[in-house]
């Protein structure tokens, strides 16, 4: 009965997932004239898709807000001006789903599959020794190539994006702490895969930044915890067009996905950007990671301990106490916080 193609069906299912439960139930009542009584949210979404005659009919309903369509397209890496009207957003969504159904996508299943996951390692010999055999340095290098190529490709100045970007590459409870020191200083926290992926996307798509990592021995440092979390610290330069704006330092926490072979997802990110005007002379020439591997391990332990309000407060004080010329939550501060938290737990 539905007039939606398979790509349209899947796309609308993901788009409807951005609505809250009350909106989904109300939309189901409207589409089915209250003749269907869904048992739960997923049942309501199925009914909406089945009883919708076309994409236009569904997306043009008042309960499917313009902002929801825009947010969905953004998560798919479709670059649309923020002021675009709803009827134009509907057309962009239709065109995007039409491209998904083109035969050429079916001719290259392996690259498509690779783009959907962080396939960073060859299969290990035995499951119980995977963590021991991981080459941390190689993981860090391959992850950085994968991450920055994918993120930078979303920059409109480089043409149409050639790699996908979205919340599927993050754990659902991922955390981003973004510190910048340009014309002003600010620290902002973001929580959740969708919000984190959109915030990072806006850096390159809306602010036209290009992050160039320095992957030599000074610009890349890696460490792993006994619990399987791998930390990757990377430094580099920030550009807009032909202008170098400053430097960045970024720390990633990666955890292997237990359901997909050779796949890692991002658990947390700390990103620090410092403008050229805030740097000491000569700093811009050789951006390097100020963390040592032991500091990265200590930093992970601090995060692990931050399960109480008191611990979270200590972590916030550590970050807020830094200056623009210091590393974002430096290794010494992390170690100090670790000692303080450990001492508090003993007592």
């Amino acid at each position: 009965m539905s007039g939606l193609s398979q790509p349209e069906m899947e796309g609308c299912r993901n788009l409807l997932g951005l609505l809250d439960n009350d909106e989904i139930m109300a939309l189901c009542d409207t589409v089915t004239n209250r003749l269907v009584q869904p048992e739960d949210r997923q049942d309501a979404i199925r009914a909406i898709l089945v009883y919708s005659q076309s994409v236009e009919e569904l997306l043009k309903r008042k309960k499917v807000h313009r902002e929801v369509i825009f947010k969905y397209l953004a998560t798919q890496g479709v670059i649309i001006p923020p002021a675009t009207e709803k009827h134009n957003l509907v057309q962009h969504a239709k065109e995007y789903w039409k491209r998904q159904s083109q035969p050429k996508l079916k001719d290259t299943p392996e690259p498509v599959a690779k783009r959907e996951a962080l396939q960073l390692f060859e299969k290990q010999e035995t499951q119980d020794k995977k963590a021991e055999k991981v080459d941390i340095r190689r993981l860090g290098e391959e992850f950085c190539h994968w991450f920055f190529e994918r993120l930078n490709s979303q920059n409109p100045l480089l043409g149409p994006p050639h790699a996908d970007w979205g919340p599927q590459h993050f754990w659902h409870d991922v955390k981003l702490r973004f510190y910048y020191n340009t014309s002003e200083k600010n620290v902002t926290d973001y929580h959740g895969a969708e919000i984190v992926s959109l915030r990072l996307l806006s850096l390159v798509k809306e602010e036209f930044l290009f992050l160039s990592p320095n992957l030599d021995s000074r610009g890349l440092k890696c460490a792993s915890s006994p619990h399987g979390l791998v930390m990757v610290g990377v430094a580099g330069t920030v550009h807009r067009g032909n202008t170098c704006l400053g430097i960045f330092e970024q720390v990633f926490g990666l955890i292997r996905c237990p359901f997909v072979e050779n796949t890692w997802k991002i658990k947390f990110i700390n990103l620090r950007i410092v403008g050229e005007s805030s740097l000491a002379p000569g700093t811009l020439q050789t951006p390097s990671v100020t963390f040592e591997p032991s500091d990265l391990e200590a930093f992970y332990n601090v995060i692990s301990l931050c399960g109480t309000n008191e611990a979270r407060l200590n972590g916030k004080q550590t970050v807020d106490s830094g200056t623009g010329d210091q590393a974002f939550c430096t290794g010494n501060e992390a170690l100090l916080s670790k000692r303080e938290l450990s001492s508090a737990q003993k007592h």
Side-chain angles (χ1 to χ4, degrees):
M1 185 174 180
S2 174
L4 279 63
S5 67
Q6 187 61 33
E8 290 173 342
M9 189 83 71
E10 291 302 317
C12 287
R13 178 177 288 109
N14 293 332
L15 188 149
L16 293 174
L18 300 176
L19 300 176
D20 61 34
N21 288 337
D22 291 340
E23 291 172 325
I24 288 293
M25 295 304 177
L27 183 58
C28 181
D29 288 342
T30 301
V31 172
T32 65
N33 287 327
R34 299 181 181 274
L35 297 178
V36 174
Q37 301 298 322
E39 295 181 359
D40 53 29
R41 174 187 176 89
Q42 294 304 318
D43 196 26
I45 292 177
R46 283 192 292 269
I48 293 169
L49 297 174
V50 168
Y51 285 95
S52 294
Q53 298 300 311
S54 67
V55 169
E56 291 92 339
E57 179 193 76
L58 174 57
L59 298 187
K60 289 184 178 180
R61 293 189 181 276
K62 292 182 179 180
K63 294 180 175 62
V64 183
H65 309 298
R66 187 192 73 87
E67 292 76 10
V68 172
I69 304 176
F70 178 84
K71 184 183 293 185
Y72 166 78
L73 291 172
T75 62
Q76 302 304 308
V78 179
I79 300 173
I80 306 294
T84 302
E85 295 183 359
K86 182 178 178 180
H87 68 276
N88 289 327
L89 291 174
V90 173
Q91 292 305 313
H92 282 292
K94 286 182 58 181
E95 292 170 5
Y96 173 70
W97 293 326
K98 184 177 180 180
R99 292 196 298 270
Q100 304 307 303
S101 63
Q102 292 175 353
K104 64 180 181 179
L105 294 180
K106 299 179 181 179
D107 295 336
T108 55
E110 183 176 353
V112 170
K114 288 183 179 179
R115 287 198 301 269
E116 294 178 346
L118 285 77
Q119 297 183 340
L120 304 177
F121 284 101
E122 296 178 354
K123 186 175 181 180
Q124 306 296 325
E125 293 180 3
T126 57
Q127 184 72 24
D128 58 343
K129 293 186 178 181
K130 278 184 179 180
E132 298 177 7
K133 295 187 177 183
V134 168
D135 185 336
I136 301 301
R137 176 74 187 188
R138 180 189 171 196
L139 170 60
E141 290 179 353
E142 294 193 11
F143 168 77
C144 287
H145 282 299
W146 176 92
F147 178 86
F148 290 104
E149 178 182 359
R150 188 170 300 267
L151 179 61
N152 286 326
S153 75
Q154 312 301 317
N155 190 318
L157 300 179
L158 304 180
H162 63 267
D164 69 314
W165 178 267
Q168 67 271 21
H169 303 305
F170 303 83
W171 291 99
H172 72 93
D173 57 348
V174 62
K175 296 181 180 180
L176 164 65
R177 172 153 289 190
F178 181 29
Y179 168 89
Y180 63 85
N181 181 7
T182 51
S183 58
E184 60 179 355
K185 298 180 183 179
N186 193 26
V187 179
T188 308
D189 291 328
Y190 301 88
H191 304 276
E194 182 181 335
I195 297 300
V196 169
S197 65
L198 285 174
R199 182 64 185 96
L200 293 172
L201 180 65
S202 70
L203 290 176
V204 295
K205 192 174 76 170
E206 298 175 10
E207 302 178 38
F208 305 107
L209 299 184
F210 185 94
L211 304 181
S212 178
N214 172 29
L215 300 183
D216 64 18
S217 59
R218 297 186 62 192
L220 175 66
K221 294 181 180 179
C222 309
S224 62
S225 78
H227 311 286
L229 183 141
V230 172
M231 300 189 63
V232 178
V234 60
T237 50
V238 182
H239 305 260
R240 181 181 291 125
N242 294 323
T243 304
C244 184
L245 302 178
I247 65 172
F248 75 90
E249 184 173 355
Q250 196 162 4
V251 179
F252 299 90
L254 308 178
I255 295 180
R256 188 193 299 271
C257 179
F259 308 111
V260 183
E261 185 71 18
N262 299 327
T263 298
W264 297 73
K265 289 188 176 184
I266 302 170
K267 181 68 173 178
F268 69 84
I269 301 176
N270 280 5
L271 172 60
R272 175 179 180 262
I273 294 180
V274 180
E276 186 174 7
S277 60
S278 302
L279 292 170
T283 306
L284 193 59
Q285 299 176 3
T286 55
S288 60
V289 178
T290 55
F291 289 121
E292 294 297 332
S294 59
D295 298 332
L296 291 175
E297 294 168 3
F299 184 65
Y300 164 77
N301 291 332
V302 171
I303 293 176
S304 301
L305 291 171
C306 287
T308 65
N309 291 334
E310 180 182 358
R312 292 192 187 96
L313 178 60
N314 287 339
K316 184 176 187 302
Q317 290 172 340
T318 298
V319 173
D320 292 345
S321 64
T323 67
D325 295 329
Q326 292 175 322
F328 175 52
C329 187
T330 63
N332 289 337
E333 290 172 331
L335 288 169
L336 179 60
S337 296
K338 175 189 176 184
R339 296 189 190 103
E340 291 174 349
L341 291 171
S342 299
S343 176
Q345 284 191 336
K346 291 179 180 179
H347 294 83

Short mmCIF file of all heavy atoms in Angstrom, two decimals, residues 272-298:
data_model
loop_
_atom_site.label_atom_id
_atom_site.label_comp_id
_atom_site.label_asym_id
_atom_site.label_seq_id
_atom_site.Cartn_x
_atom_site.Cartn_y
_atom_site.Cartn_z
N ARG A 272 41.09 20.82 21.25
CA ARG A 272 41.58 22.14 21.63
C ARG A 272 42.11 22.86 20.40
O ARG A 272 42.96 22.33 19.69
CB ARG A 272 42.70 22.00 22.68
CG ARG A 272 43.39 23.31 23.07
CD ARG A 272 44.44 23.02 24.13
NE ARG A 272 45.13 24.22 24.54
CZ ARG A 272 46.32 24.60 24.07
NH1 ARG A 272 46.94 23.85 23.17
NH2 ARG A 272 46.90 25.71 24.50
N ILE A 273 41.56 24.03 20.11
CA ILE A 273 42.02 24.84 18.99
C ILE A 273 42.51 26.18 19.52
O ILE A 273 41.81 26.83 20.31
CB ILE A 273 40.89 25.07 17.96
CG1 ILE A 273 40.50 23.74 17.29
CG2 ILE A 273 41.31 26.09 16.91
CD1 ILE A 273 39.39 23.86 16.27
N VAL A 274 43.71 26.56 19.12
CA VAL A 274 44.30 27.82 19.56
C VAL A 274 44.64 28.64 18.32
O VAL A 274 45.33 28.17 17.41
CB VAL A 274 45.57 27.59 20.40
CG1 VAL A 274 46.16 28.92 20.85
CG2 VAL A 274 45.25 26.73 21.62
N GLY A 275 44.15 29.88 18.28
CA GLY A 275 44.42 30.76 17.15
C GLY A 275 45.87 31.22 17.13
O GLY A 275 46.56 31.24 18.16
N GLU A 276 46.33 31.59 15.95
CA GLU A 276 47.73 31.98 15.79
C GLU A 276 48.09 33.17 16.67
O GLU A 276 49.20 33.25 17.20
CB GLU A 276 47.99 32.33 14.32
CG GLU A 276 49.44 32.63 14.00
CD GLU A 276 49.67 32.83 12.53
OE1 GLU A 276 48.68 32.87 11.77
OE2 GLU A 276 50.83 32.97 12.13
N SER A 277 47.16 34.08 16.88
CA SER A 277 47.44 35.26 17.70
C SER A 277 47.66 34.92 19.16
O SER A 277 48.23 35.71 19.91
CB SER A 277 46.29 36.27 17.57
OG SER A 277 45.07 35.70 18.02
N SER A 278 47.19 33.73 19.60
CA SER A 278 47.33 33.33 21.00
C SER A 278 48.54 32.43 21.24
O SER A 278 48.76 31.96 22.36
CB SER A 278 46.06 32.59 21.46
OG SER A 278 44.92 33.40 21.29
N LEU A 279 49.31 32.16 20.20
CA LEU A 279 50.44 31.24 20.31
C LEU A 279 51.74 31.98 20.57
O LEU A 279 51.92 33.13 20.18
CB LEU A 279 50.59 30.44 19.01
CG LEU A 279 49.47 29.44 18.70
CD1 LEU A 279 49.63 28.92 17.28
CD2 LEU A 279 49.48 28.30 19.70
N ALA A 280 52.65 31.26 21.24
CA ALA A 280 54.00 31.80 21.42
C ALA A 280 54.74 31.76 20.08
O ALA A 280 54.43 30.92 19.24
CB ALA A 280 54.76 30.97 22.46
N PRO A 281 55.70 32.64 19.84
CA PRO A 281 56.43 32.68 18.57
C PRO A 281 57.06 31.33 18.27
O PRO A 281 57.69 30.71 19.12
CB PRO A 281 57.49 33.75 18.81
CG PRO A 281 56.91 34.64 19.87
CD PRO A 281 56.11 33.73 20.77
N GLY A 282 56.88 30.87 17.02
CA GLY A 282 57.49 29.62 16.58
C GLY A 282 56.66 28.39 16.84
O GLY A 282 56.96 27.31 16.34
N THR A 283 55.58 28.51 17.63
CA THR A 283 54.77 27.33 17.97
C THR A 283 54.11 26.74 16.76
O THR A 283 53.97 25.52 16.64
CB THR A 283 53.70 27.72 19.01
OG1 THR A 283 54.34 28.34 20.12
CG2 THR A 283 52.96 26.48 19.50
N LEU A 284 53.68 27.58 15.82
CA LEU A 284 52.91 27.13 14.68
C LEU A 284 53.70 26.23 13.75
O LEU A 284 53.15 25.44 13.00
CB LEU A 284 52.39 28.35 13.90
CG LEU A 284 51.30 28.11 12.85
CD1 LEU A 284 50.09 27.48 13.50
CD2 LEU A 284 50.94 29.39 12.16
N GLN A 285 55.06 26.32 13.79
CA GLN A 285 55.87 25.59 12.82
C GLN A 285 55.83 24.09 13.05
O GLN A 285 55.79 23.32 12.10
CB GLN A 285 57.31 26.10 12.89
CG GLN A 285 57.44 27.59 12.56
CD GLN A 285 58.86 28.08 12.72
OE1 GLN A 285 59.76 27.29 13.02
NE2 GLN A 285 59.06 29.37 12.53
N THR A 286 55.84 23.65 14.28
CA THR A 286 55.89 22.22 14.56
C THR A 286 54.85 21.84 15.61
O THR A 286 55.18 21.65 16.79
CB THR A 286 57.29 21.81 15.07
OG1 THR A 286 57.61 22.62 16.22
CG2 THR A 286 58.33 22.00 14.01
N PRO A 287 53.58 21.77 15.24
CA PRO A 287 52.55 21.37 16.20
C PRO A 287 52.82 19.96 16.71
O PRO A 287 53.12 19.05 15.94
CB PRO A 287 51.25 21.43 15.38
CG PRO A 287 51.68 21.30 13.96
CD PRO A 287 53.01 21.97 13.89
N SER A 288 52.77 19.79 18.01
CA SER A 288 53.07 18.48 18.59
C SER A 288 52.16 18.21 19.76
O SER A 288 51.63 19.13 20.39
CB SER A 288 54.54 18.42 19.05
OG SER A 288 54.79 19.42 20.02
N VAL A 289 51.97 16.93 20.06
CA VAL A 289 51.14 16.50 21.18
C VAL A 289 51.92 16.70 22.47
O VAL A 289 53.05 16.23 22.61
CB VAL A 289 50.73 15.03 21.04
CG1 VAL A 289 49.91 14.57 22.24
CG2 VAL A 289 49.91 14.84 19.76
N THR A 290 51.33 17.41 23.43
CA THR A 290 52.02 17.65 24.70
C THR A 290 51.85 16.49 25.67
O THR A 290 52.54 16.41 26.66
CB THR A 290 51.48 18.94 25.35
OG1 THR A 290 50.07 18.85 25.49
CG2 THR A 290 51.82 20.15 24.49
N PHE A 291 50.90 15.58 25.38
CA PHE A 291 50.72 14.40 26.22
C PHE A 291 51.84 13.40 26.00
O PHE A 291 52.38 13.28 24.90
CB PHE A 291 49.41 13.69 25.89
CG PHE A 291 48.18 14.43 26.31
CD1 PHE A 291 47.24 14.80 25.36
CD2 PHE A 291 47.94 14.73 27.64
CE1 PHE A 291 46.09 15.47 25.74
CE2 PHE A 291 46.80 15.41 28.01
CZ PHE A 291 45.88 15.78 27.07
N GLU A 292 52.17 12.67 27.03
CA GLU A 292 52.99 11.47 26.92
C GLU A 292 52.05 10.27 27.06
O GLU A 292 50.97 10.39 27.63
CB GLU A 292 54.07 11.43 28.01
CG GLU A 292 55.11 12.53 27.88
CD GLU A 292 55.91 12.42 26.58
OE1 GLU A 292 56.06 11.28 26.07
OE2 GLU A 292 56.36 13.46 26.08
N PRO A 293 52.44 9.09 26.55
CA PRO A 293 51.57 7.91 26.69
C PRO A 293 51.14 7.66 28.12
O PRO A 293 50.00 7.30 28.38
CB PRO A 293 52.45 6.78 26.13
CG PRO A 293 53.30 7.45 25.10
CD PRO A 293 53.60 8.82 25.68
N SER A 294 52.05 7.86 29.07
CA SER A 294 51.68 7.64 30.48
C SER A 294 50.63 8.65 30.93
O SER A 294 49.74 8.34 31.73
CB SER A 294 52.92 7.76 31.37
OG SER A 294 53.52 9.05 31.23
N ASP A 295 50.69 9.87 30.39
CA ASP A 295 49.69 10.88 30.72
C ASP A 295 48.34 10.52 30.13
O ASP A 295 47.30 10.75 30.75
CB ASP A 295 50.12 12.26 30.20
CG ASP A 295 51.41 12.74 30.84
OD1 ASP A 295 51.68 12.32 31.98
OD2 ASP A 295 52.13 13.52 30.20
N LEU A 296 48.35 9.95 28.94
CA LEU A 296 47.10 9.53 28.32
C LEU A 296 46.43 8.44 29.16
O LEU A 296 45.22 8.44 29.36
CB LEU A 296 47.36 9.01 26.91
CG LEU A 296 47.78 10.05 25.86
CD1 LEU A 296 48.13 9.36 24.55
CD2 LEU A 296 46.69 11.07 25.64
N GLU A 297 47.25 7.51 29.67
CA GLU A 297 46.70 6.46 30.52
C GLU A 297 46.12 7.06 31.80
O GLU A 297 45.04 6.68 32.26
CB GLU A 297 47.79 5.45 30.85
CG GLU A 297 48.28 4.69 29.63
CD GLU A 297 49.55 3.91 29.91
OE1 GLU A 297 50.01 3.93 31.07
OE2 GLU A 297 50.08 3.29 28.97
N ALA A 298 46.83 8.03 32.38
CA ALA A 298 46.33 8.68 33.59
C ALA A 298 45.06 9.46 33.30
O ALA A 298 44.13 9.47 34.10
CB ALA A 298 47.41 9.61 34.16
#
